[in-house]
Amino acid sequence: MSRTPSGRHRPASSVLVTTRNARFQQWQSYLTNRAKRTKAGRFLIQGVRPLNLALEHDWPIESLLHRIDGPPLSDWARELLATRSVEQIGVSAELMTELGEKTDTAPELIAVAKTRAPRLKDLRLQSVPLIVVFDRPTSPGNLGTLVRSANAFGADAVVVVGHGADPFDPRSVRASTGSLFAMPVVTVSSVDEILAFREARRASGTELHIVGTDETGSVTIDAHDFGGGTVLVIGNETRGMSAAWRSACDTVVNIPIGGAASSLGAPSAGAVALYEIARQRR
């Protein structure tokens, strides 16, 4: 440990990054470049709650970056550094501010983490499953928000179908407030993979009813019985559910709304639907 001018200790790191060197540029690319993030299988975790939840759920952390100048680190940050046996890298406050994507303060800690790619067939489901499907989401923030709601209301997993937003985009990670680390987020290429998964589960004795959400749905959401296993489909933010999903759905429900709004946004509709499912199942 080293001492600050105020006498408080800082962690001593064998690796220091104080210039925009190759390693810093690599970290920076994880913030903005999906292709590089995917190829490396790495992403950054910003924020106290997301980092705490990642550690709580044993997410694979490769490195912990910590600020080496500015105000002394908090007890939380110093304790975390003292108790985690991962690579620790000291980074200047200026560079930490850039990696934290903040304009006012430099974060104390940022984690470099490995991505995970869970598979549908490996999902561990409740006795009455609830799987949330997001059809080609455009916004990483909307995806993260839906993951947060799915986790809050007891879903087993979120499945991103088609070419959609990246769950490991920093905007998605932040919007999930750490729920990304507490539940599986699966990516599949097409509706057919979900249908095959349903057939496999049906063969093993678990029935899954596919329920889409759309303003033109024939049944109001509170009139539908969600007591059985459910795949809840949330459509793309702009175009709604694809034709393939409409064909795959057993039921399409609508959420009655009033006021001047013409419709609910995708993550809001997802949250309302998830609350209704949780309400019925209570």
Side-chain angles (χ1 to χ4, degrees):
M1 302 285 281
S2 60
R3 285 187 177 274
T4 67
S6 63
R8 292 182 65 181
H9 288 93
R10 290 190 185 280
S13 295
S14 58
V15 179
L16 297 177
V17 175
T18 58
T19 62
R20 291 173 179 78
N21 60 15
R23 197 159 194 190
F24 172 80
Q25 291 174 25
Q26 184 179 47
W27 297 330
Q28 197 172 44
S29 73
Y30 298 159
L31 296 175
T32 58
N33 192 312
R34 180 174 184 169
K36 290 186 177 180
R37 202 165 48 234
T38 302
K39 183 178 180 180
R42 303 290 187 277
F43 68 108
L44 299 187
I45 303 175
Q46 310 153 320
V48 174
R49 181 170 175 78
L51 182 50
N52 280 342
L53 282 173
L55 294 168
E56 179 183 329
H57 291 278
D58 297 320
W59 197 273
I61 304 296
E62 184 174 72
S63 307
L64 283 172
L65 316 182
H66 64 87
R67 193 188 66 225
I68 57 174
D69 49 357
L73 298 181
S74 66
D75 291 342
W76 165 79
R78 289 186 294 112
E79 181 180 357
L80 196 152
L81 289 166
T83 56
R84 298 289 167 172
S85 57
V86 299
E87 181 186 35
Q88 299 179 9
I89 303 172
V91 181
S92 70
E94 179 184 3
L95 300 185
M96 286 290 280
T97 300
E98 291 187 36
L99 294 176
E101 298 183 298
K102 293 185 175 182
T103 57
D104 50 351
T105 58
E108 296 184 296
L109 298 177
I110 293 174
V112 181
K114 297 179 181 179
T115 59
R116 281 178 172 170
R119 300 178 298 180
L120 276 176
K121 67 178 184 178
D122 295 330
L123 291 179
R124 300 176 63 182
L125 303 180
Q126 306 169 79
S127 57
V128 183
L130 173 58
I131 296 171
V132 182
V133 166
F134 204 163
D135 181 23
R136 302 158 297 143
T138 302
S139 162
N142 284 346
L143 174 56
T145 300
L146 185 61
V147 170
R148 180 181 183 180
S149 296
N151 182 223
F153 291 116
D156 294 281
V158 171
V159 181
V160 179
V161 179
H163 184 69
D166 179 12
F168 300 107
D169 185 294
R171 292 167 291 181
S172 173
V173 178
R174 287 195 299 268
S176 82
T177 63
S179 289
L180 175 70
F181 309 116
M183 66 181 309
V185 178
V186 181
T187 300
V188 300
S189 60
S190 70
V191 179
D192 292 340
E193 292 186 56
I194 300 292
L195 295 178
F197 172 76
R198 177 170 73 160
E199 289 307 311
R201 291 291 173 171
R202 177 177 286 161
S204 65
T206 300
E207 194 65 42
L208 291 171
H209 195 79
I210 300 179
V211 181
T213 54
D214 189 86
E215 60 189 23
T216 63
S218 58
V219 181
T220 58
I221 192 167
D222 57 341
H224 179 75
D225 181 2
F226 285 103
T230 301
V231 175
L232 177 71
V233 184
I234 307 299
N236 172 271
E237 297 97 324
T238 304
R239 299 181 295 277
M241 287 191 297
S242 66
W245 269 118
R246 286 183 178 276
S247 176
C249 286
D250 300 304
T251 306
V252 179
V253 299
N254 71 78
I255 301 172
I257 60 173
S262 60
S263 64
L264 293 174
S268 298
V272 170
L274 285 161
Y275 173 78
E276 175 60 20
I277 294 171
R279 185 193 68 81
Q280 289 190 22
R281 292 185 175 186
R282 281 199 300 273

PDB file of all heavy atoms in Angstrom, residues 178-196:
ATOM      1  N   GLY A 178     -27.152  -3.694 -13.078  1.00  0.00           N
ATOM      2  CA  GLY A 178     -26.568  -4.911 -12.523  1.00  0.00           C
ATOM      3  C   GLY A 178     -27.398  -6.158 -12.718  1.00  0.00           C
ATOM      4  O   GLY A 178     -26.920  -7.269 -12.478  1.00  0.00           O
ATOM      5  N   SER A 179     -28.662  -6.026 -13.152  1.00  0.00           N
ATOM      6  CA  SER A 179     -29.495  -7.209 -13.354  1.00  0.00           C
ATOM      7  C   SER A 179     -28.947  -8.111 -14.459  1.00  0.00           C
ATOM      8  O   SER A 179     -29.225  -9.313 -14.483  1.00  0.00           O
ATOM      9  CB  SER A 179     -30.933  -6.803 -13.697  1.00  0.00           C
ATOM     10  OG  SER A 179     -31.584  -6.264 -12.565  1.00  0.00           O
ATOM     11  N   LEU A 180     -28.160  -7.542 -15.359  1.00  0.00           N
ATOM     12  CA  LEU A 180     -27.515  -8.335 -16.401  1.00  0.00           C
ATOM     13  C   LEU A 180     -26.702  -9.476 -15.806  1.00  0.00           C
ATOM     14  O   LEU A 180     -26.560 -10.545 -16.412  1.00  0.00           O
ATOM     15  CB  LEU A 180     -26.611  -7.427 -17.244  1.00  0.00           C
ATOM     16  CG  LEU A 180     -25.755  -8.100 -18.323  1.00  0.00           C
ATOM     17  CD1 LEU A 180     -26.636  -8.608 -19.452  1.00  0.00           C
ATOM     18  CD2 LEU A 180     -24.707  -7.141 -18.865  1.00  0.00           C
ATOM     19  N   PHE A 181     -26.156  -9.254 -14.602  1.00  0.00           N
ATOM     20  CA  PHE A 181     -25.295 -10.259 -13.974  1.00  0.00           C
ATOM     21  C   PHE A 181     -26.082 -11.250 -13.121  1.00  0.00           C
ATOM     22  O   PHE A 181     -25.525 -12.231 -12.648  1.00  0.00           O
ATOM     23  CB  PHE A 181     -24.240  -9.557 -13.117  1.00  0.00           C
ATOM     24  CG  PHE A 181     -23.510  -8.479 -13.866  1.00  0.00           C
ATOM     25  CD1 PHE A 181     -23.612  -7.151 -13.476  1.00  0.00           C
ATOM     26  CD2 PHE A 181     -22.761  -8.782 -14.981  1.00  0.00           C
ATOM     27  CE1 PHE A 181     -22.960  -6.148 -14.182  1.00  0.00           C
ATOM     28  CE2 PHE A 181     -22.108  -7.796 -15.701  1.00  0.00           C
ATOM     29  CZ  PHE A 181     -22.205  -6.467 -15.304  1.00  0.00           C
ATOM     30  N   ALA A 182     -27.354 -10.975 -12.922  1.00  0.00           N
ATOM     31  CA  ALA A 182     -28.165 -11.795 -12.026  1.00  0.00           C
ATOM     32  C   ALA A 182     -29.063 -12.778 -12.756  1.00  0.00           C
ATOM     33  O   ALA A 182     -29.692 -13.622 -12.127  1.00  0.00           O
ATOM     34  CB  ALA A 182     -29.019 -10.891 -11.135  1.00  0.00           C
ATOM     35  N   MET A 183     -29.150 -12.676 -14.087  1.00  0.00           N
ATOM     36  CA  MET A 183     -30.010 -13.581 -14.844  1.00  0.00           C
ATOM     37  C   MET A 183     -29.422 -13.791 -16.237  1.00  0.00           C
ATOM     38  O   MET A 183     -28.695 -12.938 -16.748  1.00  0.00           O
ATOM     39  CB  MET A 183     -31.431 -13.024 -14.953  1.00  0.00           C
ATOM     40  CG  MET A 183     -31.552 -11.757 -15.768  1.00  0.00           C
ATOM     41  SD  MET A 183     -33.253 -11.154 -15.806  1.00  0.00           S
ATOM     42  CE  MET A 183     -34.134 -12.613 -16.296  1.00  0.00           C
ATOM     43  N   PRO A 184     -29.737 -14.927 -16.876  1.00  0.00           N
ATOM     44  CA  PRO A 184     -29.194 -15.174 -18.213  1.00  0.00           C
ATOM     45  C   PRO A 184     -29.803 -14.243 -19.257  1.00  0.00           C
ATOM     46  O   PRO A 184     -31.010 -14.002 -19.252  1.00  0.00           O
ATOM     47  CB  PRO A 184     -29.585 -16.632 -18.493  1.00  0.00           C
ATOM     48  CG  PRO A 184     -29.998 -17.206 -17.179  1.00  0.00           C
ATOM     49  CD  PRO A 184     -30.502 -16.070 -16.360  1.00  0.00           C
ATOM     50  N   VAL A 185     -28.943 -13.730 -20.137  1.00  0.00           N
ATOM     51  CA  VAL A 185     -29.398 -12.981 -21.309  1.00  0.00           C
ATOM     52  C   VAL A 185     -28.830 -13.719 -22.524  1.00  0.00           C
ATOM     53  O   VAL A 185     -27.623 -13.765 -22.731  1.00  0.00           O
ATOM     54  CB  VAL A 185     -28.932 -11.525 -21.282  1.00  0.00           C
ATOM     55  CG1 VAL A 185     -29.397 -10.790 -22.547  1.00  0.00           C
ATOM     56  CG2 VAL A 185     -29.470 -10.812 -20.040  1.00  0.00           C
ATOM     57  N   VAL A 186     -29.731 -14.334 -23.281  1.00  0.00           N
ATOM     58  CA  VAL A 186     -29.361 -15.222 -24.380  1.00  0.00           C
ATOM     59  C   VAL A 186     -29.591 -14.501 -25.707  1.00  0.00           C
ATOM     60  O   VAL A 186     -30.549 -13.727 -25.837  1.00  0.00           O
ATOM     61  CB  VAL A 186     -30.212 -16.511 -24.335  1.00  0.00           C
ATOM     62  CG1 VAL A 186     -29.827 -17.470 -25.449  1.00  0.00           C
ATOM     63  CG2 VAL A 186     -30.090 -17.176 -22.966  1.00  0.00           C
ATOM     64  N   THR A 187     -28.739 -14.742 -26.668  1.00  0.00           N
ATOM     65  CA  THR A 187     -28.920 -14.188 -28.010  1.00  0.00           C
ATOM     66  C   THR A 187     -29.106 -15.333 -29.003  1.00  0.00           C
ATOM     67  O   THR A 187     -28.306 -16.275 -29.031  1.00  0.00           O
ATOM     68  CB  THR A 187     -27.707 -13.342 -28.426  1.00  0.00           C
ATOM     69  OG1 THR A 187     -27.548 -12.261 -27.499  1.00  0.00           O
ATOM     70  CG2 THR A 187     -27.889 -12.768 -29.827  1.00  0.00           C
ATOM     71  N   VAL A 188     -30.180 -15.270 -29.791  1.00  0.00           N
ATOM     72  CA  VAL A 188     -30.428 -16.270 -30.830  1.00  0.00           C
ATOM     73  C   VAL A 188     -30.697 -15.544 -32.140  1.00  0.00           C
ATOM     74  O   VAL A 188     -31.027 -14.353 -32.152  1.00  0.00           O
ATOM     75  CB  VAL A 188     -31.608 -17.199 -30.476  1.00  0.00           C
ATOM     76  CG1 VAL A 188     -31.337 -17.945 -29.179  1.00  0.00           C
ATOM     77  CG2 VAL A 188     -32.918 -16.430 -30.384  1.00  0.00           C
ATOM     78  N   SER A 189     -30.590 -16.290 -33.237  1.00  0.00           N
ATOM     79  CA  SER A 189     -30.684 -15.639 -34.543  1.00  0.00           C
ATOM     80  C   SER A 189     -32.103 -15.502 -35.070  1.00  0.00           C
ATOM     81  O   SER A 189     -32.393 -14.587 -35.846  1.00  0.00           O
ATOM     82  CB  SER A 189     -29.825 -16.398 -35.562  1.00  0.00           C
ATOM     83  OG  SER A 189     -30.274 -17.741 -35.685  1.00  0.00           O
ATOM     84  N   SER A 190     -32.993 -16.414 -34.669  1.00  0.00           N
ATOM     85  CA  SER A 190     -34.312 -16.388 -35.297  1.00  0.00           C
ATOM     86  C   SER A 190     -35.398 -16.951 -34.396  1.00  0.00           C
ATOM     87  O   SER A 190     -35.121 -17.595 -33.370  1.00  0.00           O
ATOM     88  CB  SER A 190     -34.284 -17.193 -36.604  1.00  0.00           C
ATOM     89  OG  SER A 190     -34.162 -18.576 -36.322  1.00  0.00           O
ATOM     90  N   VAL A 191     -36.640 -16.735 -34.821  1.00  0.00           N
ATOM     91  CA  VAL A 191     -37.810 -17.270 -34.135  1.00  0.00           C
ATOM     92  C   VAL A 191     -37.734 -18.794 -34.066  1.00  0.00           C
ATOM     93  O   VAL A 191     -38.155 -19.410 -33.076  1.00  0.00           O
ATOM     94  CB  VAL A 191     -39.099 -16.851 -34.876  1.00  0.00           C
ATOM     95  CG1 VAL A 191     -40.327 -17.426 -34.197  1.00  0.00           C
ATOM     96  CG2 VAL A 191     -39.192 -15.340 -34.975  1.00  0.00           C
ATOM     97  N   ASP A 192     -37.206 -19.409 -35.118  1.00  0.00           N
ATOM     98  CA  ASP A 192     -37.174 -20.868 -35.196  1.00  0.00           C
ATOM     99  C   ASP A 192     -36.456 -21.499 -34.006  1.00  0.00           C
ATOM    100  O   ASP A 192     -36.820 -22.592 -33.564  1.00  0.00           O
ATOM    101  CB  ASP A 192     -36.502 -21.312 -36.494  1.00  0.00           C
ATOM    102  CG  ASP A 192     -37.337 -20.968 -37.720  1.00  0.00           C
ATOM    103  OD1 ASP A 192     -38.558 -20.749 -37.554  1.00  0.00           O
ATOM    104  OD2 ASP A 192     -36.779 -20.905 -38.832  1.00  0.00           O
ATOM    105  N   GLU A 193     -35.429 -20.823 -33.490  1.00  0.00           N
ATOM    106  CA  GLU A 193     -34.700 -21.374 -32.342  1.00  0.00           C
ATOM    107  C   GLU A 193     -35.583 -21.416 -31.093  1.00  0.00           C
ATOM    108  O   GLU A 193     -35.499 -22.355 -30.292  1.00  0.00           O
ATOM    109  CB  GLU A 193     -33.435 -20.566 -32.078  1.00  0.00           C
ATOM    110  CG  GLU A 193     -32.379 -20.714 -33.167  1.00  0.00           C
ATOM    111  CD  GLU A 193     -31.074 -20.023 -32.814  1.00  0.00           C
ATOM    112  OE1 GLU A 193     -30.500 -20.332 -31.752  1.00  0.00           O
ATOM    113  OE2 GLU A 193     -30.645 -19.150 -33.600  1.00  0.00           O
ATOM    114  N   ILE A 194     -36.425 -20.412 -30.931  1.00  0.00           N
ATOM    115  CA  ILE A 194     -37.354 -20.403 -29.793  1.00  0.00           C
ATOM    116  C   ILE A 194     -38.404 -21.498 -29.959  1.00  0.00           C
ATOM    117  O   ILE A 194     -38.754 -22.196 -28.998  1.00  0.00           O
ATOM    118  CB  ILE A 194     -38.038 -19.035 -29.654  1.00  0.00           C
ATOM    119  CG1 ILE A 194     -37.000 -17.925 -29.433  1.00  0.00           C
ATOM    120  CG2 ILE A 194     -39.045 -19.049 -28.509  1.00  0.00           C
ATOM    121  CD1 ILE A 194     -36.283 -18.002 -28.116  1.00  0.00           C
ATOM    122  N   LEU A 195     -38.894 -21.662 -31.178  1.00  0.00           N
ATOM    123  CA  LEU A 195     -39.907 -22.691 -31.421  1.00  0.00           C
ATOM    124  C   LEU A 195     -39.328 -24.089 -31.184  1.00  0.00           C
ATOM    125  O   LEU A 195     -39.998 -24.960 -30.612  1.00  0.00           O
ATOM    126  CB  LEU A 195     -40.450 -22.562 -32.842  1.00  0.00           C
ATOM    127  CG  LEU A 195     -41.231 -21.276 -33.137  1.00  0.00           C
ATOM    128  CD1 LEU A 195     -41.677 -21.240 -34.595  1.00  0.00           C
ATOM    129  CD2 LEU A 195     -42.425 -21.141 -32.209  1.00  0.00           C
ATOM    130  N   ALA A 196     -38.093 -24.305 -31.608  1.00  0.00           N
ATOM    131  CA  ALA A 196     -37.445 -25.599 -31.367  1.00  0.00           C
ATOM    132  C   ALA A 196     -37.237 -25.823 -29.876  1.00  0.00           C
ATOM    133  O   ALA A 196     -37.409 -26.942 -29.369  1.00  0.00           O
ATOM    134  CB  ALA A 196     -36.116 -25.659 -32.120  1.00  0.00           C
TER     135      ALA A 196
END
